Amino acid sequence: MNNFKKFKEYLLIKKIIVILRGISVNNFEDYINLLIKYKLNIVEVTLNTPHAFEIIKSLNTNYPEIYLGAGTVTESEQVKKLSKLGVRFIVSPNCDEKVIKESLDNNLVPIPGVFTITEVFNAIKYGAKILKLFPADDRGLSLIKNYKAVIPNDISFLPTGGINHENINSYLNIAIGVGLGGSLYKENIKIQDFENNLKKFAQLLHEI
């Protein structure tokens, strides 16, 4: 089974990619242990996080339960470096042909950021199968519905940006999963507040 098939099947079960932007190199273990506890263990560490590569390396070494990816990846050279650190998927804020193709060459799943229909078709042309609709916000539901009418059936959307307790169920009805950032984890969030957020989303997932 190739990496894309594994990732797609796992995402369909877990439904959420947890985006850790700005997490501290000094205490990320506390937050990771809570993610494992609540079984939200598909994790994206963004590269604009201080010491991101160090954190990613540590997660790959010490937390085999984590299905690990990197986010805010904008250059193909970053992909080359990440491929040696154990990540399995590459998330970008934009649609970059070189990043997509470098990911595929290294058996990593590219998830490029798209918003317009031109970006959608370019991402598909470059080889991406899962597209990060970003920012999703209020327009995301209608955009996904409209785009799915004109793209191949094997292409899936991962809406990110503006996903919250109120709209997550609606998005999961039409998407392979969602990316959760600020509504779940924010830089310097207290560990108890983080766990409270995890409880809310875990409960919502059980109701879907």
Side-chain angles (χ1 to χ4, degrees), residues 5-183:
K5 189 174 181 182
K6 289 180 182 178
F7 177 75
K8 185 175 181 179
E9 290 182 357
Y10 201 54
L11 184 56
L12 283 168
I13 295 170
K14 295 294 183 177
K15 303 182 186 299
I16 288 175
I17 294 179
V18 178
I19 302 168
L20 299 180
R21 186 184 307 278
I23 195 164
S24 172
V25 69
N26 297 317
N27 67 349
F28 68 88
E29 294 94 345
D30 296 335
Y31 297 87
I32 294 299
N33 286 328
L34 281 176
L35 290 175
I36 293 171
K37 174 182 176 180
Y38 287 95
K39 300 180 180 180
L40 294 177
N41 53 331
I42 305 182
V43 174
E44 169 194 335
V45 178
T46 65
L47 293 193
N48 56 353
T49 296
H51 309 287
F53 288 100
E54 181 181 342
I55 294 171
I56 288 169
K57 182 178 180 180
S58 179
L59 286 176
N60 179 58
T61 301
N62 300 310
Y63 293 91
E65 307 96 328
I66 295 298
Y67 201 105
L68 184 60
T72 321
V73 181
T74 58
E75 301 175 8
S76 59
E77 289 301 316
Q78 294 172 330
V79 179
K80 292 179 181 178
K81 185 174 181 179
L82 289 163
S83 69
K84 301 174 183 177
L85 297 180
V87 302
R88 306 192 200 187
F89 60 96
I90 299 291
V91 185
S92 301
N94 61 333
C95 178
D96 185 282
E97 180 179 6
K98 291 181 179 179
V99 169
I100 293 171
K101 292 189 173 180
E102 189 68 39
S103 300
L104 293 171
D105 287 346
N106 285 278
N107 195 30
L108 305 177
V109 178
I111 309 177
V114 300
F115 191 78
T116 68
I117 192 63
T118 298
E119 291 169 333
V120 168
F121 274 101
N122 280 340
I124 295 170
K125 179 174 65 175
Y126 302 149
K129 295 288 187 181
I130 300 177
L131 312 182
K132 169 185 169 180
L133 185 75
F134 175 78
D137 292 327
D138 297 331
R139 294 184 57 194
L141 289 169
S142 60
L143 286 176
I144 291 174
K145 290 175 183 177
N146 289 330
Y147 291 166
K148 288 178 75 172
V150 295
I151 63 174
N153 292 331
D154 63 339
I155 304 299
S156 302
F157 282 98
L158 181 87
T160 304
I163 309 299
N164 53 46
H165 302 97
E166 286 74 31
N167 61 24
I168 185 172
N169 286 0
S170 297
Y171 273 108
L172 288 175
N173 285 332
I174 61 173
I176 191 173
V178 298
L180 276 184
S183 59

Side-chain angles (χ1 to χ4, degrees), residues 179-194:
L180 276 184
S183 59
L184 181 58
Y185 177 87
K186 294 180 180 179
E187 188 173 356
N188 298 320
I189 189 173
K190 294 179 180 178
I191 193 73
Q192 186 58 57
D193 293 335
F194 181 62

